Amino acid sequence: VDGALLKAVERGDWVLLENANLCSPTVLDRLNPLLEPEGTLLVNECGFLPNGESRIVKAHEGFRLFLAVDPKRGEVSRAMRNRGVEVFLHPKRYESSSSSNDNERTSLFS
């Protein structure tokens, strides 16, 4: 039975892995070939196919994988980072508005 990741890979869905840096590096490294052009994933956990070969899942062209990490809790491997685009978001800063009461806050982005 295929899990959510394999189904997404085959259908071209988008997947968000939150706190990816808390995942075992070995598990994330298994995903590296999937993120290459014409990406594939070797799925040997399900045993061999009737022809004696391992199952290889080819990524649908619409498949996207997003990794969300908290840098305070570690990083992902350089190999994984090289296969994507890194985006850093500053934490929100809040400032009290003079026209509002003390319980309300206005969001400001840097």
Side-chain angles (χ1 to χ4, degrees):
V1 177
D2 289 345
L5 178 63
L6 282 179
K7 289 177 184 176
V9 169
E10 292 179 322
R11 292 189 306 225
D13 294 339
W14 292 11
V15 174
L16 169 63
L17 297 179
E18 291 187 77
N19 295 310
N21 51 326
L22 299 180
C23 185
S24 165
T26 306
V27 172
L28 289 180
D29 286 344
R30 288 270 321 266
L31 300 179
N32 282 338
L34 188 59
L35 305 176
E36 294 290 333
E38 306 293 321
T40 60
L41 182 64
L42 174 65
V43 185
N44 54 11
E45 290 82 4
C46 61
F48 293 105
L49 298 174
N51 63 4
E53 295 181 9
S54 294
R55 179 178 174 199
I56 297 176
V57 176
K58 185 177 181 330
H60 184 280
E61 65 181 23
F63 173 72
R64 299 293 183 269
L65 180 64
F66 298 88
L67 304 180
V69 300
D70 180 353
K72 292 183 245 171
R73 295 188 171 155
E75 296 185 355
V76 294
S77 72
R78 174 61 59 190
M80 180 64 78
R81 292 173 70 184
N82 287 341
R83 286 170 173 79
V85 175
E86 291 186 48
V87 178
F88 175 80
L89 300 175
H90 285 281
K92 289 183 183 178
R93 292 186 308 153
Y94 294 97
E95 186 175 284
S96 294
S97 172
S98 59
S99 64
S100 63
N101 65 34
D102 290 338
N103 294 330
E104 275 186 53
R105 294 181 177 239
T106 304
S107 167
L108 299 175
F109 298 96
S110 41

